[in-house]
Amino acid sequence: LEEQLVEIWQELLGVERIGIHDNFFALGGHSLLAVQLISRIQDIGYETNVKDVFAASNIAALSPKLSLRSSESTVPSNGIAEDCTHITPDMIPLVDLNQRELDLIMDHVPGGAGNIQDIYPLSPLQSGFYFHYLMTDRTKGDPNVFPIVFRFESIDKRSTFMEALRFVVHRHDVLRTCFMNSGLPEAVQIVLREVELPVEVLSIDMDTEVLPQVQSIVTPDKWWMDIAEAPLLRLTTADDNENKAYYLVFNCHHIIIDHVGMDKLVDEMMLYLSGNRDRLLPPVLYREFIGDILFNYSLEKSEGYFRSLYEGIAEPTYPYNLSDTMADGTTTIMSSSAFLPTDLRDGIRSLSHKLQVSPAVLFHAAFGLLIGRASNKDYAIFGSLFSGRLQGAEGSESSIGLFLNTLPVLLRIEGSVSEYLSLVKQRLLDILPYEQTPLSMIQQCSDIPNGMPMFSALLNYRHESPSAAEDIVSGLDLGVEVLEQGERNNYSVSFAVNDFGSDFELSVQIADDATDTGQCLACMQEALSSLVQHFDNEEIRVEALSVMPSEIGHLLLEEYNAPVVSPVKCTVLALFGEQVRRRPAGAALSFDGTELSYAELDERSDRL
């Protein structure tokens, strides 16, 4: 067994010689590779607990914890046959619907029962997305729709690209899914057997530039689609024949796919285009993941864990006092991004190797420190995106769908730096088995009122692994360029870390045009630097660490508060009169929706 595990590790980690006491994470392992590791362990007839993979992170410790895998599936089979003309409740074991409710669904789907492959509930994060969808409309946009703008050098290459996309949509059930709740006790997702990938041709004014017209349809207030109609992928084309530029706007709803799933979709398209479709594995149904949550996931254990953690917590930690936002096209979203400096990058890699943990632990620790400081609390509660693929659901390694879930992370900002990092590592480790717990249930375990968001800040740590199809399609001429990608969410403060294996890219989005995103990035870097620099100093408490770079501190405390008063040699009335002459139309007073210019205020004051 140890020899088999060594072979698996060597292949996954790209390391030629591995010993049974080598640490998986010190050798470059991370959560995506852990998903593949669990899948490979299943392939050799064993199964393991996700927590054991992270806690027993070498082969000597892990191998005794493996158990023989049962060949029996706990997920009941789909009872809807291909030639079915009428669906009855006994055919859909994953959801409890009566015949009247099923009749509503059959009437809703084009083609009726004959075009319905399956019906089942939503995952926890899908339920959250659906809740936010119900509060959106065509005029405001939906933050969970993301657009990508492609430019092709020929119509034929664009057509070939669209053909490959249709091929992948036909393979995967989740890409042929729509959502419905009207007349039903709860929202369900309905898998269609056949769908048409809608393609809209953008009406172009040829007297003006084409690209700005294309970009005008991907502004945030236009990011919306009716998710009751499958597929939740929509295409728009626009042709600029004069410049030989052929555009494709790809819109997709996040409720059916996550970051890893999007990579899988692209991989499959590339394999199809390169003539290597025979290398594609049979698609794994998304229903297997939903069924695994329903039949193998203990909400009772989850509730016990989160109650022990959050009971007595009555106040959230809103950074910069930003409590909530609806990213509906009306809120100004400010953003910035930057790669970490080389010395900080190397320091993070070195400390992670020393602690034998993923760098994600250090970024969570730094983010907790930043949120605590920015909310003036000695603890931090923020959201973190968890893979959702770590529980060993059948085929989750290669499945397309939404497996992610957002969970709150609670960190007490106390102790030495080493103690604090140890706490963060343990907290992330403990939460892994509960990664599919509904957020609404977790909030019920706290004393935070239901009307308040449990957190308003989100950390998304992503591993940007090379595409599996890269070697195959390196010589494939697609003639395509990605011009623009949109990404938003419903949180006031959102940080994303892209881990490229060497470099780290950090980006921030803030729903507040008064908050300097560049300063926020600098503060996050300062928090990371403080943790790396003071890790070995047991005398320095984490509570005393600064998250504010000295230059920003000087700007805020000294320059913005400089006690310099210019001598005034005239009256206030004279100063006001001078301002009336200089800026008569400038806003002088604003109150309760009414605004007066300096000229108007001067006129009114004269009448008084």
Side-chain angles (χ1 to χ4, degrees):
L1 178 57
E2 289 178 348
E3 289 175 350
Q4 288 178 292
L5 291 176
V6 164
E7 290 179 3
I8 293 171
W9 282 33
Q10 288 175 167
E11 182 180 348
L12 290 179
L13 298 170
V15 177
E16 186 175 345
R17 292 177 60 85
I18 286 179
I20 62 171
H21 298 290
D22 290 336
N23 186 281
F24 183 75
F25 299 100
L27 293 173
H30 50 70
S31 58
L32 291 185
L33 288 177
V35 173
Q36 297 181 45
L37 175 60
I38 292 170
S39 177
R40 301 293 176 86
I41 289 173
Q42 291 173 345
D43 290 343
I44 62 173
Y46 290 87
E47 57 188 8
T48 184
N49 183 296
V50 57
K51 193 172 179 180
D52 287 342
V53 171
F54 282 82
S57 50
N58 63 58
I59 291 172
L62 180 62
S63 55
K65 297 179 180 293
L66 303 186
S67 57
L68 289 172
R69 190 180 183 206
S70 171
S71 60
E72 296 182 7
S73 174
T74 56
V75 179
S77 301
N78 178 15
I80 304 177
E82 284 194 33
D83 57 354
C84 179
T85 58
H86 187 72
I87 300 172
T88 56
D90 60 297
M91 297 179 180
I92 48 168
L94 300 188
V95 65
D96 185 16
L97 297 174
N98 60 38
Q99 192 60 55
R100 181 191 65 81
E101 293 158 350
L102 281 174
D103 290 343
L104 287 174
I105 293 174
M106 287 184 280
D107 290 340
H108 169 79
V109 171
N115 196 28
I116 297 177
Q117 178 178 318
D118 207 347
I119 304 171
Y120 41 78
L122 280 60
S123 74
L125 189 56
Q126 282 183 318
S127 296
F129 284 168
Y130 195 80
F131 171 78
H132 286 292
Y133 163 77
L134 293 175
M135 295 190 291
T136 68
D137 57 42
R138 294 182 185 274
T139 63
K140 296 179 180 178
D142 183 345
N144 294 312
V145 174
F146 60 92
I148 306 175
V149 180
F150 297 97
R151 178 167 56 199
F152 293 82
E153 61 186 30
S154 74
I155 291 179
D156 288 343
K157 288 180 178 178
R158 184 178 66 191
S159 298
T160 302
F161 183 90
M162 291 161 62
E163 176 190 328
L165 180 58
R166 289 188 180 95
F167 169 78
V168 179
V169 168
H170 180 73
R171 273 174 50 84
H172 293 276
D173 58 342
V174 72
L175 300 181
R176 291 178 274 107
T177 295
C178 63
F179 295 78
M180 179 178 173
N181 79 330
S182 180
L184 306 177
E186 62 176 325
V188 298
Q189 46 190 324
I190 308 156
V191 182
L192 278 59
R193 295 188 186 279
E194 298 291 338
V195 295
E196 288 292 329
L197 189 61
V199 181
E200 179 184 351
V201 178
L202 183 65
S203 179
I204 294 293
D205 179 1
M206 299 311 298
D207 293 331
T208 60
E209 288 188 55
V210 175
L211 180 57
Q213 296 178 69
V214 173
Q215 292 170 326
S216 71
I217 69 171
V218 293
T219 55
D221 60 309
K222 305 287 178 61
W223 300 1
W224 193 88
M225 66 175 64
D226 182 358
I227 66 173
E229 304 295 332
L232 303 190
L233 306 168
R234 310 288 162 83
L235 303 178
T236 304
T237 63
D239 298 344
D240 184 356
N241 293 308
E242 183 177 346
N243 295 300
K244 292 184 171 52
Y246 303 92
Y247 300 99
L248 178 68
V249 178
F250 171 96
N251 276 295
C252 181
H253 203 289
H254 213 337
I255 200 168
I256 62 168
I257 199 164
D258 57 23
H259 185 69
V260 174
M262 200 68 192
D263 288 344
K264 301 293 182 187
L265 183 148
V266 172
D267 284 352
E268 292 201 2
M269 289 178 63
M270 296 301 100
L271 287 168
Y272 174 84
L273 291 170
S274 64
N276 286 278
R277 70 175 76 177
D278 57 315
R279 296 189 56 172
L280 290 169
L281 298 174
V284 177
L285 298 177
Y286 188 64
R287 83 180 305 274
E288 294 298 322
F289 169 64
I290 297 295
D292 190 69
I293 294 176
L294 292 173
F295 292 95
N296 296 330
Y297 198 76
S298 172
L299 284 179
E300 185 177 343
K301 290 182 180 178
S302 294
E303 182 179 3
Y305 169 74
F306 287 108
R307 190 168 298 281
S308 68
L309 200 60
Y310 286 99
E311 200 164 31
I313 298 291
E315 291 187 41
T317 55
Y318 299 146
Y320 314 111
N321 207 30
L322 300 174
S323 60
D324 194 20
T325 179
M326 283 306 301
D328 56 6
T330 62
T331 304
T332 301
I333 309 294
M334 307 300 291
S335 62
S336 292
S337 62
F339 281 88
L340 292 189
T342 303
D343 56 344
L344 180 55
R345 175 202 70 188
D346 293 343
I348 292 171
R349 294 286 181 195
S350 176
L351 182 55
S352 299
H353 187 275
K354 180 178 181 179
L355 297 176
Q356 297 190 339
V357 298
S358 164
V361 171
L362 272 67
F363 280 92
H364 278 77
F367 196 59
L369 191 56
L370 176 61
I371 298 304
R373 291 286 188 276
S375 61
N376 198 29
K377 296 283 194 304
D378 58 2
Y379 61 93
I381 303 174
F382 59 89
S384 180
L385 283 169
F386 284 76
S387 160
R389 299 170 185 260
L390 289 165
Q391 304 309 313
E394 184 71 35
S396 60
E397 173 200 0
S398 56
S399 295
I400 292 178
L402 180 68
F403 290 78
L404 289 173
N405 195 20
T406 303
L407 296 179
V409 175
L410 169 64
L411 299 178
R412 300 280 182 182
I413 304 170
E414 58 188 16
S416 67
V417 175
S418 62
E419 290 171 338
Y420 176 62
L421 291 178
S422 180
L423 164 72
V424 176
K425 173 187 175 182
Q426 194 61 45
R427 180 59 42 80
L428 296 177
L429 181 63
D430 290 343
I431 207 172
L432 284 176
Y434 311 107
E435 63 178 353
Q436 288 302 334
T437 307
L439 182 57
S440 57
M441 192 193 86
I442 299 175
Q443 181 150 355
Q444 296 293 331
C445 297
S446 74
D447 292 334
I448 298 174
N450 285 334
M452 299 175 65
M454 193 171 186
F455 52 87
S456 66
L458 180 75
L459 178 65
N460 184 6
Y461 189 94
R462 302 183 291 216
H463 294 279
E464 298 287 352
S465 301
S467 164
E470 274 189 3
D471 292 339
I472 300 171
V473 301
S474 57
L476 189 64
D477 179 18
L478 295 175
V480 59
E481 179 184 2
V482 177
L483 297 183
E484 188 173 334
Q485 297 187 65
E487 183 179 20
R488 292 186 300 160
N489 58 56
N490 278 301
Y491 296 97
S492 300
V493 178
S494 177
F495 273 77
V497 182
N498 291 321
D499 183 345
F500 292 97
S502 176
D503 288 325
F504 296 104
E505 183 185 30
L506 193 61
S507 62
V508 59
Q509 290 186 341
I510 298 182
D512 177 30
D513 56 7
T515 303
D516 190 322
T517 52
Q519 288 188 4
C520 292
L521 279 180
C523 288
M524 181 65 172
Q525 290 189 26
E526 183 70 16
L528 286 162
S529 181
S530 294
L531 293 174
V532 172
Q533 181 180 350
H534 298 293
F535 171 76
D536 289 323
N537 191 337
E538 292 297 320
E539 295 182 1
I540 294 182
R541 305 278 296 180
V542 70
E543 302 98 304
L545 293 183
S546 172
V547 300
M548 185 178 291
S550 58
E551 60 273 17
I552 295 178
H554 176 76
L555 178 69
L556 297 177
L557 299 177
E558 304 296 334
E559 294 189 25
Y560 288 172
N561 289 292
V564 177
V565 179
S566 299
V568 178
K569 298 181 180 180
C570 57
T571 66
V572 173
L573 288 178
L575 287 173
F576 179 77
E578 177 63 25
Q579 188 72 346
V580 171
R581 286 188 291 274
R582 289 175 52 215
R583 298 182 61 232
L589 181 147
S590 178
F591 175 74
D592 201 20
T594 300
E595 187 173 279
L596 296 179
S597 68
Y598 279 101
E600 291 169 333
L601 183 57
D602 184 45
E603 181 185 354
R604 288 201 184 191
S605 65
D606 287 345
R607 291 203 303 266
L608 294 175

